[in-house]
Amino acid sequence: DTGVSQDPRHKITKRGQNVTFRCDPISEHNRLYWYRQTLGQGPEFLTYFQNEAQLEKSRLLSDRFSAERPKGSFSTLEIQRTEQGDSAMYLCASSPEGGGLAGQETQYFGPGTRLLVL
Amino acid sequence: RKEVEQDPGPFNVPEGATVAFNCTYSNSASQSFFWYRQDCRKEPKLLMSVYSSGNEDGRFTAQLNRASQYISLLIRDSKLSDSATYLCVVNPGPSGGSYIPTFGRGTSLIVHP
């Protein structure tokens, strides 16, 4: 399967613990996005990378959230000191650089990581 | 006003019906528009891009109305398999400062026999 993959698919943690999610984009895609989706809502943009550069991070929900893409391939999203309100689906998407502005090309989503904070 | 607004529905229609959804956006400088489909507990998948001149793909037609700042999706001859949530996506233009794809909350469609 050459699509976007995410790991783990499910994560249950206790409040106050740190969690880290991984996303492997489609190999030739240099743009990578993280979103959060809660029940009944559309995906909410968190951050995006072009290669290893994090070009937009103002929408990260708090300073407990951070993301990296150190070699321009896979990315990680970390949530420190988790809270019950962090429970959601975390989606990763990738897209090729088609010469247009970021976000103007088709995004391919991974299956998501479903987080439950107890 | 939210940046992107959709009627959450659900739209409950019989097989064979024609159904239309709208999605309004607040940023007049928005440059690109998409419809994604999301099945229950699955990831979103691109249904179609929305071009200024409108575009059609089989039973699906997308339109953009810049003057009134909305996009629409028309589904003809609905199938049971069309049951899903339809998400519109709007990308702001340079005046927005950052190129942040903004999703609507989605419109739920249920096609029944």
Side-chain angles (χ1 to χ4, degrees):
Chain A
D1 187 349
T2 57
V4 178
S5 62
Q6 291 186 245
D7 184 71
R9 296 289 305 275
H10 303 273
K11 179 70 177 179
I12 301 174
T13 192
K14 292 183 179 179
R15 188 175 52 188
Q17 298 295 304
N18 298 343
V19 295
T20 300
F21 309 142
R22 176 177 170 128
C23 171
D24 287 88
I26 293 171
S27 59
E28 62 268 26
H29 288 183
N30 61 353
R31 289 175 173 165
L32 186 149
Y33 302 80
W34 283 100
Y35 294 87
R36 182 182 79 157
Q37 186 173 25
T38 54
L39 194 63
Q41 301 298 318
E44 177 186 13
F45 175 92
L46 296 178
T47 188
Y48 116 87
F49 294 86
Q50 182 151 320
N51 299 311
E52 66 276 8
Q54 190 174 14
L55 298 186
E56 176 55 61
K57 55 182 180 180
S58 66
R59 298 293 182 95
L60 285 168
L61 299 165
S62 77
D63 58 8
R64 296 185 297 105
F65 287 72
S66 63
E68 294 183 341
R69 194 183 183 196
K71 297 182 180 179
S73 55
F74 73 91
S75 175
T76 57
L77 176 70
E78 181 182 17
I79 309 173
Q80 296 183 326
R81 305 182 302 281
T82 52
E83 301 173 357
Q84 288 182 324
D86 297 333
S87 297
M89 173 75 87
Y90 291 84
L91 292 162
C92 172
S94 70
S95 65
E97 184 176 0
L101 299 171
Q104 293 191 342
E105 63 291 305
T106 300
Q107 295 183 50
Y108 297 83
F109 283 83
T113 294
R114 190 171 296 278
L115 172 67
L116 177 61
V117 182
L118 301 176
Chain B
R1 181 181 176 187
K2 288 187 177 179
E3 290 181 71
V4 178
E5 293 198 67
Q6 291 185 258
D7 180 345
F11 285 61
N12 205 319
V13 303
E15 272 186 290
T18 295
V19 61
F21 313 133
N22 284 343
C23 168
T24 59
Y25 60 93
S26 60
N27 186 343
S28 60
S30 296
Q31 291 197 345
S32 59
F33 310 86
F34 303 88
W35 284 102
Y36 278 73
R37 170 192 169 130
Q38 186 170 28
D39 293 299
C40 187
R41 302 184 74 82
K42 298 285 190 180
E43 71 273 21
K45 293 184 179 179
L46 179 72
L47 180 65
M48 55 199 308
S49 302
V50 186
Y51 304 125
S52 297
S53 55
N55 48 303
E56 186 174 314
D57 182 3
R59 298 181 294 109
F60 299 84
T61 300
Q63 299 272 352
L64 167 62
N65 185 318
R66 283 195 182 273
S68 299
Q69 295 182 208
Y70 73 88
I71 62 172
S72 64
L73 178 68
L74 180 78
I75 306 175
R76 290 181 299 276
D77 189 24
S78 299
K79 311 291 184 189
L80 295 176
S81 57
D82 294 334
S83 298
T85 295
Y86 291 84
L87 299 159
C88 70
V89 187
V90 175
N91 291 307
S95 63
S98 299
Y99 310 121
I100 296 174
T102 305
F103 282 74
R105 65 178 297 181
T107 296
S108 175
L109 172 65
I110 301 170
V111 182
H112 59 81

